[in-house]
């Protein structure tokens, strides 16, 4: 349960961070500090995305949908860290789109032709390092919807 809770906290914080992306070196608001619930490589990958949004003057607005994680595997003896693998099939996002930070103008682009609409099945690796659970890797299969 603690691994699932860490994932849900990570998703809430990462969504908050996307609503108000901070520039490199700026501190996140406590509710947007996804780093408390993540480890590399996910932490670095998501940080790069946040800094890219910030440098372009963009933010995300709307409702990103609600996570619905399920435990797929549990290996508390895994080395070097105990590992829980989750799958998530979130509820569909409601207008979770990129906007200009200053004007609020919607700058989202349509998905490529032939791409299936979200939500997509996501696989999440959550590890325990020194008694602390956090997301270490997220893989999204954008080739098929959750219902498929």
């Amino acid at each position: 349960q603690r691994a699932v809770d860490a994932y849900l906290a990570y998703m809430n914080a990462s969504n908050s961070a996307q609503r108000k992306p901070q520039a490199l070196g700026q501190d996140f608001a406590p509710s947007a500090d996804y780093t408390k619930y993540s480890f590399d490589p996910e932490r670095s990958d998501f940080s790069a995305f946040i800094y890219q949004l910030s440098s372009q003057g963009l933010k995300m607005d709307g409702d990103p949908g609600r996570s619905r994680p399920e435990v797929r595997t549990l290996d508390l003896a895994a080395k070097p860290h105990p590992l829980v693998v989750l799958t998530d099939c979130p509820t569909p996002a409601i207008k979770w789109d990129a906007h200009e930070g200053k004007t609020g103008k919607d700058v989202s682009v349509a998905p490529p032709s032939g791409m299936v609409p979200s939500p997509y099945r996501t696989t999440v690796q959550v590890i325990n390092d020194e008694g602390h659970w956090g997301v270490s890797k997220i893989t999204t299969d954008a080739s098929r919807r959750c219902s498929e």
Side-chain angles (χ1 to χ4, degrees), residues 16 118-119:
S16 292
S118 65

Side-chain angles (χ1 to χ4, degrees), residues 2-7 36-43 73-76 78-86 124-138:
R2 289 181 292 163
V4 172
D5 292 345
Y7 170 65
K36 295 188 302 189
Y37 311 104
S38 60
F39 297 107
D40 284 330
E42 179 59 29
R43 180 185 293 170
T73 63
L74 172 70
D75 186 355
L76 298 179
K79 298 293 180 196
H81 303 287
L83 172 68
V84 175
V85 177
L86 309 173
V124 183
Q125 293 181 9
V126 185
I127 62 171
N128 186 296
D129 186 24
E130 298 181 8
H132 176 73
W133 287 98
V135 174
S136 66
K137 186 174 183 182
I138 296 178

Side-chain angles (χ1 to χ4, degrees), residues 10 28 36 55 68 70-71 89 109:
Y10 173 78
F28 288 98
K36 295 188 302 189
S55 68
R68 299 181 292 187
E70 294 181 5
V71 175
C89 198
V109 294

Side-chain angles (χ1 to χ4, degrees), residues 25 37-38 41 46 50 59 74 85 95 98 100 117 135 143:
Y37 311 104
S38 60
F46 191 74
I50 288 296
K59 65 178 183 171
L74 172 70
V85 177
K95 291 297 287 174
E100 289 181 353
V135 174
S143 70

Side-chain angles (χ1 to χ4, degrees), residues 49 52-53 56 58-61 95-100 105-118 120:
F49 173 69
Q52 181 181 19
L53 282 176
Q56 294 174 354
L58 302 176
K59 65 178 183 171
M60 298 297 289
D61 277 332
K95 291 297 287 174
W96 183 244
D97 296 315
H99 289 75
E100 289 181 353
K105 178 183 175 188
D106 187 338
V107 293
S108 58
V109 294
S113 177
M115 186 170 175
V116 297
S118 65
Y120 307 116

Side-chain angles (χ1 to χ4, degrees), residues 7-42:
Y7 170 65
L8 293 172
Y10 173 78
M11 292 306 297
N12 287 333
S14 62
N15 289 336
S16 292
Q18 291 176 74
R19 287 183 180 97
K20 191 172 182 182
Q22 299 299 311
L24 189 60
Q26 289 183 319
D27 291 333
F28 288 98
S31 64
D33 189 1
Y34 59 89
T35 64
K36 295 188 302 189
Y37 311 104
S38 60
F39 297 107
D40 284 330
E42 179 59 29

